[in-house]
Amino acid sequence: MTDCLFCKMVSGEIKPDTVYEDDKVLAFRDIHPQAPVHILIIPKIHIATLNELNDAGLAGHLLLTATKLAAQEGLSEDGYRTVINCNEHGGQAVYHLHLHLLGGRSMRWPPG
């Protein structure tokens, strides 16, 4: 997808503040953080929304990457939140699947 912001990050056309990368995912700091730690974890392949994700291995890899990064950022003991927004009413702004890892402060409930 040539016009997808996150695909441009995966290709290297845009340089995010990368915190982790492997053959399946790219993780970087959000440019508009909603918590002291706000990292986005994206698959390297273009998947528009959670509705299109049909690879259980990739889904698990996204979550395991989040736990790895939470530990790396010192969030594991106090806690953190993971969020995947889906479509307009779910709050999705960029139509490339991404998981938010948020931490470093107490989270409130309900989140919306």
Side-chain angles (χ1 to χ4, degrees), residues 40-86:
L40 301 179
I41 305 165
I42 67 169
K44 287 190 166 181
I45 61 170
H46 184 84
I47 301 170
T49 75
L50 185 58
N51 292 334
E52 284 80 43
L53 178 61
N54 59 13
D55 182 338
L58 180 58
H61 191 72
L62 287 165
L63 289 172
L64 291 175
T65 300
T67 62
K68 180 187 298 188
L69 293 175
Q72 177 181 303
E73 296 287 323
L75 303 174
S76 297
E77 190 168 319
D78 287 340
Y80 55 93
R81 178 172 288 164
T82 58
V83 176
I84 298 175
N85 299 321
C86 185

Side-chain angles (χ1 to χ4, degrees), residues 6-105:
F6 290 171
C7 286
K8 289 178 180 180
M9 292 178 180
V10 170
S11 74
E13 185 178 337
I14 295 173
K15 303 283 189 213
D17 183 2
T18 302
V19 295
Y20 179 81
E21 183 174 9
D22 63 24
D23 61 325
K24 296 179 183 176
V25 299
L26 174 66
F28 51 90
R29 298 197 187 278
D30 194 297
I31 61 169
H32 300 292
Q34 301 301 305
V37 175
H38 188 168
I39 295 171
L40 301 179
I41 305 165
I42 67 169
K44 287 190 166 181
I45 61 170
H46 184 84
I47 301 170
T49 75
L50 185 58
N51 292 334
E52 284 80 43
L53 178 61
N54 59 13
D55 182 338
L58 180 58
H61 191 72
L62 287 165
L63 289 172
L64 291 175
T65 300
T67 62
K68 180 187 298 188
L69 293 175
Q72 177 181 303
E73 296 287 323
L75 303 174
S76 297
E77 190 168 319
D78 287 340
Y80 55 93
R81 178 172 288 164
T82 58
V83 176
I84 298 175
N85 299 321
C86 185
N87 286 324
E88 182 181 356
H89 285 191
Q92 187 173 4
V94 177
Y95 282 80
H96 183 121
L97 178 65
H98 54 288
L99 182 149
H100 296 258
L101 171 64
L102 301 136
R105 67 169 172 82

